[in-house]
PDB file of all heavy atoms in Angstrom:
ATOM      1  N   ASP A 171      -8.722  21.226   3.615  1.00 98.00           N
ATOM      2  CA  ASP A 171      -9.828  20.266   3.613  1.00 98.00           C
ATOM      3  C   ASP A 171     -10.018  19.593   4.971  1.00 98.00           C
ATOM      4  O   ASP A 171     -10.859  18.692   5.095  1.00 98.00           O
ATOM      5  CB  ASP A 171      -9.616  19.203   2.529  1.00 98.00           C
ATOM      6  CG  ASP A 171      -8.326  18.413   2.720  1.00 98.00           C
ATOM      7  OD1 ASP A 171      -7.413  18.899   3.423  1.00 98.00           O
ATOM      8  OD2 ASP A 171      -8.211  17.315   2.148  1.00 98.00           O
ATOM      9  N   TYR A 172      -9.272  20.023   5.974  1.00 98.00           N
ATOM     10  CA  TYR A 172      -9.362  19.365   7.287  1.00 98.00           C
ATOM     11  C   TYR A 172     -10.789  19.289   7.832  1.00 98.00           C
ATOM     12  O   TYR A 172     -11.218  18.209   8.282  1.00 98.00           O
ATOM     13  CB  TYR A 172      -8.452  20.052   8.312  1.00 98.00           C
ATOM     14  CG  TYR A 172      -8.643  19.491   9.697  1.00 98.00           C
ATOM     15  CD1 TYR A 172      -7.982  18.337  10.093  1.00 98.00           C
ATOM     16  CD2 TYR A 172      -9.544  20.074  10.599  1.00 98.00           C
ATOM     17  CE1 TYR A 172      -8.197  17.776  11.347  1.00 98.00           C
ATOM     18  CE2 TYR A 172      -9.763  19.515  11.852  1.00 98.00           C
ATOM     19  CZ  TYR A 172      -9.098  18.379  12.226  1.00 98.00           C
ATOM     20  OH  TYR A 172      -9.326  17.823  13.459  1.00 98.00           O
ATOM     21  N   PRO A 173     -11.572  20.362   7.838  1.00 98.00           N
ATOM     22  CA  PRO A 173     -12.909  20.279   8.455  1.00 98.00           C
ATOM     23  C   PRO A 173     -13.783  19.168   7.882  1.00 98.00           C
ATOM     24  O   PRO A 173     -14.384  18.394   8.635  1.00 98.00           O
ATOM     25  CB  PRO A 173     -13.506  21.669   8.197  1.00 98.00           C
ATOM     26  CG  PRO A 173     -12.306  22.564   8.099  1.00 98.00           C
ATOM     27  CD  PRO A 173     -11.277  21.740   7.391  1.00 98.00           C
ATOM     28  N   GLU A 174     -13.861  19.080   6.560  1.00 98.00           N
ATOM     29  CA  GLU A 174     -14.728  18.079   5.936  1.00 98.00           C
ATOM     30  C   GLU A 174     -14.201  16.667   6.159  1.00 98.00           C
ATOM     31  O   GLU A 174     -14.959  15.730   6.430  1.00 98.00           O
ATOM     32  CB  GLU A 174     -14.884  18.359   4.443  1.00 98.00           C
ATOM     33  CG  GLU A 174     -15.670  19.623   4.141  1.00 98.00           C
ATOM     34  CD  GLU A 174     -17.032  19.644   4.848  1.00 98.00           C
ATOM     35  OE1 GLU A 174     -17.754  18.622   4.785  1.00 98.00           O
ATOM     36  OE2 GLU A 174     -17.368  20.666   5.472  1.00 98.00           O
ATOM     37  N   VAL A 175     -12.878  16.501   6.037  1.00 98.00           N
ATOM     38  CA  VAL A 175     -12.276  15.180   6.254  1.00 98.00           C
ATOM     39  C   VAL A 175     -12.502  14.720   7.690  1.00 98.00           C
ATOM     40  O   VAL A 175     -12.906  13.583   7.939  1.00 98.00           O
ATOM     41  CB  VAL A 175     -10.764  15.221   5.928  1.00 98.00           C
ATOM     42  CG1 VAL A 175     -10.084  13.929   6.395  1.00 98.00           C
ATOM     43  CG2 VAL A 175     -10.539  15.425   4.437  1.00 98.00           C
ATOM     44  N   ALA A 176     -12.240  15.606   8.642  1.00 98.00           N
ATOM     45  CA  ALA A 176     -12.354  15.236  10.056  1.00 98.00           C
ATOM     46  C   ALA A 176     -13.796  14.913  10.441  1.00 98.00           C
ATOM     47  O   ALA A 176     -14.047  13.960  11.202  1.00 98.00           O
ATOM     48  CB  ALA A 176     -11.806  16.358  10.933  1.00 98.00           C
ATOM     49  N   LYS A 177     -14.753  15.676   9.933  1.00 98.00           N
ATOM     50  CA  LYS A 177     -16.157  15.395  10.262  1.00 98.00           C
ATOM     51  C   LYS A 177     -16.564  14.001   9.778  1.00 98.00           C
ATOM     52  O   LYS A 177     -17.226  13.255  10.506  1.00 98.00           O
ATOM     53  CB  LYS A 177     -17.062  16.472   9.650  1.00 98.00           C
ATOM     54  CG  LYS A 177     -17.011  17.806  10.373  1.00 98.00           C
ATOM     55  CD  LYS A 177     -18.095  18.762   9.898  1.00 98.00           C
ATOM     56  CE  LYS A 177     -17.889  19.224   8.480  1.00 98.00           C
ATOM     57  NZ  LYS A 177     -18.898  20.252   8.082  1.00 98.00           N
ATOM     58  N   LYS A 178     -16.164  13.646   8.561  1.00 98.00           N
ATOM     59  CA  LYS A 178     -16.503  12.319   8.030  1.00 98.00           C
ATOM     60  C   LYS A 178     -15.835  11.218   8.847  1.00 98.00           C
ATOM     61  O   LYS A 178     -16.451  10.186   9.140  1.00 98.00           O
ATOM     62  CB  LYS A 178     -16.075  12.225   6.563  1.00 98.00           C
ATOM     63  CG  LYS A 178     -16.914  13.064   5.616  1.00 98.00           C
ATOM     64  CD  LYS A 178     -16.402  12.950   4.191  1.00 98.00           C
ATOM     65  CE  LYS A 178     -17.211  13.841   3.249  1.00 98.00           C
ATOM     66  NZ  LYS A 178     -16.672  13.789   1.853  1.00 98.00           N
ATOM     67  N   ALA A 179     -14.576  11.434   9.217  1.00 98.00           N
ATOM     68  CA  ALA A 179     -13.857  10.426   9.997  1.00 98.00           C
ATOM     69  C   ALA A 179     -14.514  10.223  11.359  1.00 98.00           C
ATOM     70  O   ALA A 179     -14.714   9.085  11.808  1.00 98.00           O
ATOM     71  CB  ALA A 179     -12.397  10.845  10.164  1.00 98.00           C
ATOM     72  N   ILE A 180     -14.863  11.312  12.021  1.00 98.00           N
ATOM     73  CA  ILE A 180     -15.466  11.227  13.347  1.00 98.00           C
ATOM     74  C   ILE A 180     -16.841  10.568  13.276  1.00 98.00           C
ATOM     75  O   ILE A 180     -17.205   9.747  14.128  1.00 98.00           O
ATOM     76  CB  ILE A 180     -15.545  12.627  13.980  1.00 98.00           C
ATOM     77  CG1 ILE A 180     -14.139  13.088  14.380  1.00 98.00           C
ATOM     78  CG2 ILE A 180     -16.480  12.640  15.187  1.00 98.00           C
ATOM     79  CD1 ILE A 180     -14.054  14.536  14.807  1.00 98.00           C
ATOM     80  N   GLN A 181     -17.614  10.890  12.252  1.00 98.00           N
ATOM     81  CA  GLN A 181     -18.922  10.254  12.107  1.00 98.00           C
ATOM     82  C   GLN A 181     -18.788   8.753  11.894  1.00 98.00           C
ATOM     83  O   GLN A 181     -19.588   7.972  12.411  1.00 98.00           O
ATOM     84  CB  GLN A 181     -19.690  10.913  10.954  1.00 98.00           C
ATOM     85  CG  GLN A 181     -20.179  12.314  11.298  1.00 98.00           C
ATOM     86  CD  GLN A 181     -20.753  13.060  10.108  1.00 98.00           C
ATOM     87  OE1 GLN A 181     -20.250  12.952   8.977  1.00 98.00           O
ATOM     88  NE2 GLN A 181     -21.812  13.815  10.331  1.00 98.00           N
ATOM     89  N   TRP A 182     -17.750   8.345  11.145  1.00 98.00           N
ATOM     90  CA  TRP A 182     -17.493   6.914  10.956  1.00 98.00           C
ATOM     91  C   TRP A 182     -17.131   6.265  12.296  1.00 98.00           C
ATOM     92  O   TRP A 182     -17.626   5.180  12.627  1.00 98.00           O
ATOM     93  CB  TRP A 182     -16.353   6.719   9.959  1.00 98.00           C
ATOM     94  CG  TRP A 182     -16.016   5.277   9.700  1.00 98.00           C
ATOM     95  CD1 TRP A 182     -16.513   4.470   8.717  1.00 98.00           C
ATOM     96  CD2 TRP A 182     -15.125   4.445  10.475  1.00 98.00           C
ATOM     97  NE1 TRP A 182     -15.982   3.199   8.813  1.00 98.00           N
ATOM     98  CE2 TRP A 182     -15.123   3.159   9.880  1.00 98.00           C
ATOM     99  CE3 TRP A 182     -14.322   4.669  11.583  1.00 98.00           C
ATOM    100  CZ2 TRP A 182     -14.361   2.109  10.384  1.00 98.00           C
ATOM    101  CZ3 TRP A 182     -13.551   3.627  12.088  1.00 98.00           C
ATOM    102  CH2 TRP A 182     -13.571   2.361  11.488  1.00 98.00           C
ATOM    103  N   MET A 183     -16.275   6.913  13.070  1.00 98.00           N
ATOM    104  CA  MET A 183     -15.864   6.369  14.370  1.00 98.00           C
ATOM    105  C   MET A 183     -17.061   6.173  15.284  1.00 98.00           C
ATOM    106  O   MET A 183     -17.201   5.131  15.939  1.00 98.00           O
ATOM    107  CB  MET A 183     -14.846   7.302  15.030  1.00 98.00           C
ATOM    108  CG  MET A 183     -13.520   7.419  14.305  1.00 98.00           C
ATOM    109  SD  MET A 183     -12.464   8.709  15.060  1.00 98.00           S
ATOM    110  CE  MET A 183     -11.143   8.833  13.859  1.00 98.00           C
ATOM    111  N   ILE A 184     -17.934   7.173  15.343  1.00 98.00           N
ATOM    112  CA  ILE A 184     -19.116   7.086  16.208  1.00 98.00           C
ATOM    113  C   ILE A 184     -20.045   5.955  15.755  1.00 98.00           C
ATOM    114  O   ILE A 184     -20.545   5.172  16.569  1.00 98.00           O
ATOM    115  CB  ILE A 184     -19.866   8.431  16.215  1.00 98.00           C
ATOM    116  CG1 ILE A 184     -19.030   9.510  16.911  1.00 98.00           C
ATOM    117  CG2 ILE A 184     -21.214   8.280  16.911  1.00 98.00           C
ATOM    118  CD1 ILE A 184     -19.625  10.902  16.803  1.00 98.00           C
ATOM    119  N   LYS A 185     -20.263   5.871  14.454  1.00 98.00           N
ATOM    120  CA  LYS A 185     -21.177   4.852  13.904  1.00 98.00           C
ATOM    121  C   LYS A 185     -20.692   3.443  14.207  1.00 98.00           C
ATOM    122  O   LYS A 185     -21.495   2.545  14.499  1.00 98.00           O
ATOM    123  CB  LYS A 185     -21.307   5.045  12.389  1.00 98.00           C
ATOM    124  CG  LYS A 185     -22.206   4.029  11.717  1.00 98.00           C
ATOM    125  CD  LYS A 185     -22.265   4.265  10.215  1.00 98.00           C
ATOM    126  CE  LYS A 185     -23.115   3.208   9.526  1.00 98.00           C
ATOM    127  NZ  LYS A 185     -23.163   3.423   8.047  1.00 98.00           N
TER     128      LYS A 185
END
Side-chain angles (χ1 to χ4, degrees):
D171 60 340
Y172 174 84
E174 292 307 313
V175 170
K177 286 190 292 185
K178 289 178 182 177
I180 288 171
Q181 288 171 322
W182 180 92
M183 294 173 190
I184 292 173
K185 179 181 177 181

